[in-house]
């Protein structure tokens, strides 16, 4: 039974990692217009461009929520600022 539980936890962990990679990819597609060759500089879309990309990409409310939560997780601001 322990082996089954470990397998289940491992499977969940891999699924969560895959989902995080997917959300990070969506976040990059949504926000980043250009990244320099040395990955030191990024040019971001402006608010209107992000809105259009959300509309054209038909992002679901669940995806937008996950993207927003991911921004809050990786940004240096406090969680209260992400409410």
């Amino acid at each position: 039974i322990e082996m089954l539980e470990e397998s289940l936890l491992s499977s969940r962990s891999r699924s969560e990692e895959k989902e995080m990679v997917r959300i990070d990819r969506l976040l990059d597609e949504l926000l980043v217009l250009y990244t320099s060759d040395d990955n030191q500089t990024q040019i971001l879309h402006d608010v209107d461009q992000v809105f259009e990309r959300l509309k054209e990409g038909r992002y679901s409310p669940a995806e937008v929520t996950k993207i927003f939560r991911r921004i809050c997780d990786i940004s240096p601001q406090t969680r209260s600022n992400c409410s």
Side-chain angles (χ1 to χ4, degrees), residues 59-82:
Y59 287 74
S60 72
E63 287 175 325
V64 173
T65 299
K66 288 178 184 179
I67 290 169
F68 181 75
R69 285 185 180 150
R70 183 69 178 140
I71 291 169
C72 290
D73 288 343
I74 60 177
S75 67
Q77 60 189 334
T78 62
R79 295 286 279 175
S80 63
N81 291 342
C82 285

Side-chain angles (χ1 to χ4, degrees), residues 27-28 30-34 42-47 49-50:
L27 183 59
D28 284 346
L30 185 63
L31 298 180
V32 178
L33 175 65
Y34 168 79
Q42 289 184 330
I43 297 176
L44 303 179
H45 291 285
D46 65 28
V47 173
Q49 290 170 319
V50 171

Side-chain angles (χ1 to χ4, degrees), residues 4-73:
L4 184 60
E5 288 176 348
E6 287 179 27
S7 176
L8 181 61
L9 286 174
S10 176
S11 176
R12 283 184 186 161
S13 178
R14 282 193 305 272
S15 294
E16 289 171 359
E17 287 177 29
K18 285 181 183 178
E19 181 66 5
M20 189 180 312
V21 167
R22 187 181 77 81
I23 295 301
D24 285 347
R25 183 179 44 77
L26 289 175
L27 183 59
D28 284 346
E29 290 173 3
L30 185 63
L31 298 180
V32 178
L33 175 65
Y34 168 79
T35 302
S36 65
D37 292 335
D38 60 3
N39 288 327
Q40 296 297 314
T41 305
Q42 289 184 330
I43 297 176
L44 303 179
H45 291 285
D46 65 28
V47 173
D48 292 331
Q49 290 170 319
V50 171
F51 175 74
E52 285 301 315
R53 293 183 67 82
L54 282 169
K55 197 167 68 171
E56 290 171 3
R58 297 181 160 210
Y59 287 74
S60 72
E63 287 175 325
V64 173
T65 299
K66 288 178 184 179
I67 290 169
F68 181 75
R69 285 185 180 150
R70 183 69 178 140
I71 291 169
C72 290
D73 288 343

